[in-house]
């Protein structure tokens, strides 16, 4: 795992200037690769590749980057891991019978270069199984290729130093050198950087808590989409317009092909197929030349990953969890029980509210784009603990998106089935009734009566969920209902004084004829929530501590297998992730697992009224709000006062506003 950065300017430049600029960019990524640094420049084309290395495979200097191919045609700066690189070496040997490859070391970077030299770009990407962001310079054609892995596990930003809005939304526009990097802070370190705030991204950010899709928070800077590549020539840079990315792998297409390949109709066949695919994925992701462990929350996904690791290990797997001093948010005892049963070597970080609160001012540095998923706090804390003992950790992320683990996957079809029978006025009246009771009173009712309910109906944040339901009761269709349930703020344009595009919920996600109902929701969560939120959170929170996190669920074979399973098997007997549950019960007793879903949550409501109140009120002061005039000061302050009085549930909306203000204060973007 590493960080990469660089630029392509065109023309010719002194080597010293190029070296200084690219090293300044990669220095900002020190946390992603503290073990080594490298830079390569070509003065005639004014191209520079920079790299920071976290040594995982081949700890010797043979893994140093940027790296040249043996034929000297290609130079690469690569961030990620290729789990099947040893198999790729065998394929290259078999196909190169006259001149078999000569290997200088055993790094996956060298394997990639040999494959690019032999097979070309697209075939190499198709064969590679892993997480990666790649910058490849072709010295013969003088083109720069940027490529990203199938699911978007590793980030890759690219754009012009002086970016601007263009007429074609699919292309990147601007002037000056083309910059790229693993994080935005690397682009911002270039001496010609002039970042202008992309105001059209703010409504989506305030709605979902992240800057989604291909856009970034800066004009003329984009995120390369998962499964895509873009090839840039010197002429493109000089013209100030880059070609649109091409797709080398598509989750939507792969899901459709899997559904057509033959359904796994029987429940037992589904469980067996997932066990085989996931077990192989775990085995591949345990390859490392450094100490390795796993996150363990005690939930279904992480427990299953750890169980499969322990099954294949010759010594106790090292596992890590985080516990809070607030019992409502503490899963550590569950994790410890699972660890004891599986026989892992387990450590729990007993985090206090003070530890999490102390981390809050550092979030704009850690997430150098506005990001408001508050589970970023416990994720960063457990990553910090884990890095004290291992360099690589496996996680259970993406199990929810592939196998139906979110409450909305169960509840949206049921709710819509009932809602569509009610006239709109009746639904609006019901919403008013639900909102009349404060959320904390609903929580109290759940505490008192929850013991009488089945475990899957015991909801920790019952009041928040009822208020969320009230906000979407007037939805015109199932797609709009899903968009509303998935959002943290249903009227983000109001916080912008009505200046945003004000998109209606049903326009936020595309209607796909091939996918309907639960399968459509699973695909939308994979393409959007997982890519824009979950994987961003995991990458930034872990790499801040120089920890590599690997995600076994995000394997092409696991994905293919998951999409061969009908929705009625994934969601069965009123439970999500039925297949994963059955597989886990082979390793862990049912009673250790069956409990309400908690997730990595924090008591944000209480913190904003308590220890975080001075920080929040400083950001909400007049001088701070004036620096971001796009926000409607009256609306923001009204929301803050309502929260302090306990009127409604506004913590998530306020968290998004506060993170935006904190980001603006740290990075000071130019306003259009």
């Amino acid at each position: 795992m590493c960080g990469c950065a660089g630029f392509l300017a065109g023309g010719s430049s002194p080597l010293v200037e190029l070296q200084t600029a690219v090293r300044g960019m990669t220095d900002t990524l020190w946390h992603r690769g503290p073990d080594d640094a490298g830079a390569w420049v070509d003065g005639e084309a004014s191209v520079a590749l920079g790299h920071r290395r976290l040594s995982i495979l081949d700890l010797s200097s043979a893994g140093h980057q940027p790296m040249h191919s043996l034929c000297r045609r290609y130079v690469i700066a690569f961030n990620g891991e290729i789990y099947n690189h040893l198999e790729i070496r065998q394929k290259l040997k078999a196909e190169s019978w006259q001149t078999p490859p000569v290997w200088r070391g055993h790094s996956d970077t060298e394997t990639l270069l040999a494959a690019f030299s032999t097979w070309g770009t697209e075939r190499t990407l198709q064969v590679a199984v892993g997480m990666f962001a790649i910058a490849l310079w072709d010295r013969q054609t003088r083109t720069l290729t940027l490529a990203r892995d199938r699911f978007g596990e590793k980030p890759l930003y690219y754009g012009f130093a002086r970016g601007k809005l263009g007429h074609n939304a699919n292309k990147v526009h601007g002037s000056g050198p083309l910059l790229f990097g693993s994080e935005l802070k690397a682009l911002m370190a270039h001496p010609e950087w002039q970042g202008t705030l992309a105001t059209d991204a703010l409504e989506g950010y305030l709605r979902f808590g992240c800057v989604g899709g291909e856009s970034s928070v800066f004009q003329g800077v984009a995120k390369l989409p998962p499964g895509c590549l873009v090839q840039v020539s010197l002429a493109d840079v000089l013209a100030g317009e880059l070609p649109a990315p091409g797709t080398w792998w598509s989750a939507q297409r792969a899901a459709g092909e899997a559904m057509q390949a033959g359904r796994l109709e029987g429940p037992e066949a589904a469980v067996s197929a997932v066990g085989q695919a996931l077990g192989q994925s775990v085995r591949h992701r345990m390859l490392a030349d450094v100490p390795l462990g796993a996150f363990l929350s005690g939930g279904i996904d992480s427990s299953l990953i750890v169980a499969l690791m322990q099954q294949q290990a010759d010594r106790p797997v090292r596992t890590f969890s985080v516990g809070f001093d607030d019992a409502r948010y503490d899963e550590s005892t569950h994790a410890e029980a699972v660890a004891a049963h599986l026989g892992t070597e387990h450590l729990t970080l007993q985090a206090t509210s003070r530890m999490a609160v102390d981390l809050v001012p550092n979030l704009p540095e850690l997430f150098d784009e506005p990001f408001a998923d508050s589970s970023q706090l416990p994720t960063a804390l457990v990553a910090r603990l884990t890095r004290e003992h291992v360099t690589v950790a496996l996680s259970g992320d993406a199990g929810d998106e592939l196998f139906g683990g979110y409450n909305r996957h169960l509840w949206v079809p049921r709710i819509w089935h009932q809602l569509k029978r009610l006239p709109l006025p009746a639904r609006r009246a019901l919403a008013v009734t639900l909102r009349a009771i404060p959320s904390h009173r609903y929580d109290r009712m759940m505490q008192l009566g929850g013991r009488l309910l089945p475990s899957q109906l015991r909801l920790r944040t019952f009041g928040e969920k009822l208020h969320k339901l009230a906000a979407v009761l007037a939805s015109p269709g199932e797609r709009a209902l899903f968009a509303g349930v998935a959002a943290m703020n249903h009227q983000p344009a109001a916080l912008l004084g009505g200046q945003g595009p004000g998109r209606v919920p049903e326009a936020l996600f595309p209607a796909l004829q091939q996918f309907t109902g639960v399968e459509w929701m699973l695909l939308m969560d994979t393409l959007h929530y997982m890519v824009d939120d979950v994987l961003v959170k995991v990458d930034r929170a872990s790499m801040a501590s120089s920890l590599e996190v690997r995600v076994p669920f995000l394997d092409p074979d696991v994905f293919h297998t998951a999409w061969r399973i009908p929705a009625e098997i994934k969601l069965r007997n009123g439970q999500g992730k039925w297949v994963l549950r059955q597989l886990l019960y082979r390793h862990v007793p049912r009673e250790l697992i069956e409990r309400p879903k908690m997730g990595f949550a924090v008591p944000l409501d209480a913190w904003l009224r308590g220890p975080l109140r001075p920080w929040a009120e400083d950001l909400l002061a007049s001088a701070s709000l004036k620096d971001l005039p796009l926000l409607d000061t009256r609306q923001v302050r009204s929301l803050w006062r309502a929260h302090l009085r306990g009127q409604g549930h506004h913590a998530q909306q306020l968290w998004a506003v506060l993170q935006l203000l904190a980001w603006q204060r740290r990075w000071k973007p130019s306003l259009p």
Side-chain angles (χ1 to χ4, degrees):
M1 187 58 56
C2 310
C4 59
F7 54 87
L8 174 61
S12 59
S13 301
L15 295 180
V16 174
E17 288 184 12
L18 299 176
Q19 288 275 3
T20 300
V22 74
R23 290 191 184 279
M25 295 173 74
T26 54
D27 283 348
T28 67
L29 303 175
W30 180 91
H31 53 286
R32 300 187 76 93
D35 297 331
D36 190 21
W40 174 86
V41 300
D42 180 342
E44 291 184 5
S46 288
V47 62
L49 304 184
H51 191 260
R52 293 289 325 191
R53 185 183 183 198
L54 177 64
S55 302
I56 302 293
L57 294 176
D58 194 342
L59 309 185
S60 73
S61 60
H64 176 80
Q65 294 187 50
M67 184 183 292
H68 283 77
S69 62
L70 200 61
C71 65
R72 308 300 291 179
R73 175 176 175 176
Y74 299 103
V75 188
I76 193 173
F78 159 58
N79 165 29
E81 299 290 348
I82 306 300
Y83 304 119
N84 66 335
H85 89 98
L86 295 178
E87 290 93 330
I88 292 175
R89 289 193 174 200
Q90 291 301 316
K91 289 182 180 179
L92 288 169
K93 181 179 179 181
E95 294 186 21
S96 305
W97 57 273
Q98 286 184 318
T99 55
V102 176
W103 304 109
R104 295 163 285 185
H106 63 273
S107 74
D108 51 354
T109 309
E110 187 180 1
T111 305
L112 272 179
L113 278 171
F116 284 131
S117 300
T118 305
W119 297 331
T121 305
E122 190 145 344
R123 184 184 170 191
T124 297
L125 296 173
Q126 295 284 356
V127 171
V129 174
M131 54 180 180
F132 51 82
I134 296 170
L136 183 74
W137 176 249
D138 186 334
R139 301 176 72 180
Q140 180 175 308
T141 62
R142 294 164 74 83
T143 57
L144 176 69
T145 297
L146 303 175
R148 196 174 178 200
D149 64 62
R150 291 170 176 81
F151 300 102
E153 291 183 72
K154 291 295 103 186
L156 188 55
Y157 292 89
Y158 71 106
F160 287 98
R162 296 182 290 279
K164 63 182 180 181
L165 297 176
H167 299 297
N168 188 332
N170 294 322
K171 293 185 177 183
V172 174
H173 303 262
S175 60
L178 165 69
L179 313 176
F180 66 87
S182 298
E183 297 180 19
L184 279 173
K185 59 174 64 72
L187 280 67
M188 290 188 263
H190 191 276
E192 294 188 46
W193 171 260
Q194 294 179 12
T196 302
L197 183 67
T199 56
D200 56 343
L202 294 186
E203 183 179 312
Y205 162 74
L206 291 171
R207 186 186 296 274
F208 293 110
C210 55
V211 180
E214 296 181 36
S215 302
S216 84
V217 75
F218 289 111
Q219 292 183 12
V221 177
K223 295 189 282 282
L224 188 64
C228 287
L229 61 85
V230 61
Q231 294 183 312
V232 183
S233 68
L234 295 173
D236 294 326
V237 175
L238 295 174
E241 182 176 282
L242 303 186
T247 301
W248 64 267
W249 189 87
S250 160
Q252 179 181 333
R253 184 174 63 236
E257 291 171 352
M259 293 166 66
Q260 295 172 0
R263 292 289 205 168
L264 294 166
E265 298 295 348
E268 287 304 316
V271 174
S272 177
V274 171
Q276 182 175 351
L278 191 57
Q280 180 173 314
S281 176
V282 167
R283 183 165 56 254
H284 280 154
R285 282 154 184 79
M286 292 176 69
L287 177 65
D289 294 334
V290 292
L292 176 142
F295 294 154
L296 178 60
S297 70
I300 294 167
D301 304 330
S302 65
S303 297
L304 180 54
I305 296 301
V306 170
L308 295 174
M309 291 176 70
Q310 191 60 71
Q311 187 180 46
Q312 302 178 59
D314 55 7
R315 62 176 301 276
V317 171
R318 306 189 75 174
T319 54
F320 306 88
S321 66
V322 61
F324 275 106
D325 50 8
D326 187 330
R328 297 172 302 163
Y329 297 85
D330 184 15
E331 286 190 297
S332 61
T333 56
H334 302 299
E336 288 163 2
V338 172
H341 181 82
L342 293 174
T344 72
E345 183 181 328
H346 189 71
L347 278 175
T348 300
L349 168 66
Q350 290 298 339
T352 65
S353 299
R354 186 74 259 165
M355 293 170 65
V357 167
D358 288 344
L359 180 61
V360 169
N362 298 324
L363 291 178
E365 186 74 32
L366 199 156
F367 294 85
D368 52 9
E369 191 166 46
F371 188 77
D373 181 341
S374 59
S375 64
Q376 62 203 127
L377 293 168
T379 305
L381 289 173
V382 75
R384 184 188 300 173
L385 164 73
T386 303
R387 184 60 176 93
E388 293 175 4
H389 303 275
V390 299
T391 310
V392 176
L394 273 61
S395 85
D397 292 298
D400 290 310
E401 289 82 3
L402 295 188
F403 292 94
Y406 295 128
N407 289 324
R408 56 181 171 263
H409 301 151
L410 282 168
W411 290 103
V412 165
R414 296 179 185 178
I415 292 171
W416 180 245
H417 181 69
Q418 300 298 326
L419 283 183
K420 65 183 180 182
R421 301 178 181 181
L422 289 175
L424 187 58
R427 283 193 259 154
R428 286 174 175 162
L430 178 58
V432 171
T433 302
L434 288 173
R435 282 196 294 261
I437 300 176
S439 59
H440 68 271
R441 291 188 182 175
Y442 284 122
D443 292 339
R444 181 62 178 159
M445 285 190 277
M446 177 59 71
Q447 285 179 338
L448 294 174
R451 300 169 206 163
L452 303 176
L453 297 173
S455 62
Q456 64 266 30
L457 296 180
R458 294 180 212 147
L459 303 176
R460 184 195 59 205
T461 53
F462 182 52
E464 178 186 354
K465 289 178 171 60
L466 276 183
H467 277 223
K468 204 169 188 179
L469 171 62
V472 298
L473 281 177
S475 297
E478 191 172 14
R479 190 154 52 102
L481 179 61
F482 170 81
V485 170
M488 69 166 55
N489 188 344
H490 301 100
Q491 295 180 317
L495 292 171
L496 299 171
Q499 297 302 307
R503 299 180 67 192
V504 294
E506 56 267 32
L508 298 173
F509 298 99
L512 303 175
Q513 187 174 5
Q514 187 178 1
F515 301 92
T516 59
V518 171
E519 289 173 335
W520 179 85
M521 286 191 287
L522 294 176
L523 185 59
M524 291 303 102
D525 275 330
T526 298
L527 294 174
H528 299 283
Y529 178 64
M530 186 187 78
V531 172
D532 298 330
D533 186 306
V534 175
L535 295 180
V536 172
K537 173 187 67 180
V538 172
D539 175 80
R540 305 304 193 278
S542 60
M543 292 312 298
S545 296
S546 305
L547 175 74
E548 174 175 301
V549 174
R550 300 176 176 179
V551 186
F553 281 109
L554 292 183
D555 178 273
D557 287 343
V558 174
F559 183 87
H560 181 85
T561 302
W563 277 93
R564 291 184 62 203
I565 301 172
E568 58 269 21
I569 294 180
K570 290 179 180 177
L571 282 70
R572 186 177 170 90
N573 300 332
Q575 289 183 317
K577 293 191 289 197
W578 185 88
V579 172
L580 299 186
R581 292 174 191 271
Q582 307 314 305
L583 188 56
L584 179 57
Y585 297 154
R586 297 177 180 179
H587 304 275
V588 176
R590 184 185 299 255
E591 57 268 21
L592 292 184
I593 299 299
E594 291 300 339
R595 63 183 188 279
K597 184 178 178 64
M598 184 175 286
F600 254 8
V602 296
L604 196 57
D605 292 69
W607 287 359
L608 287 175
R609 294 189 190 98
L612 282 177
R613 183 169 176 173
W615 166 82
E617 291 189 330
D618 176 52
L619 288 171
L620 295 173
S622 298
S624 181
L625 287 168
K626 283 180 180 177
D627 288 337
L628 202 59
L630 295 157
L631 285 174
D632 187 312
T633 300
R634 187 173 60 179
Q635 286 284 345
V636 170
R637 287 180 174 160
S638 174
L639 207 62
W640 178 243
R641 287 192 299 268
H643 177 75
L644 292 178
R645 291 194 295 260
Q647 297 174 342
H649 190 89
H650 307 297
Q652 292 293 341
Q653 297 97 305
L654 284 165
W655 187 249
V657 171
L658 291 165
Q659 288 304 316
L660 177 60
L661 290 167
W663 175 84
Q664 190 279 334
R665 179 178 289 185
R666 167 62 183 89
W667 297 107
K668 297 178 174 57
S670 299
L671 298 178

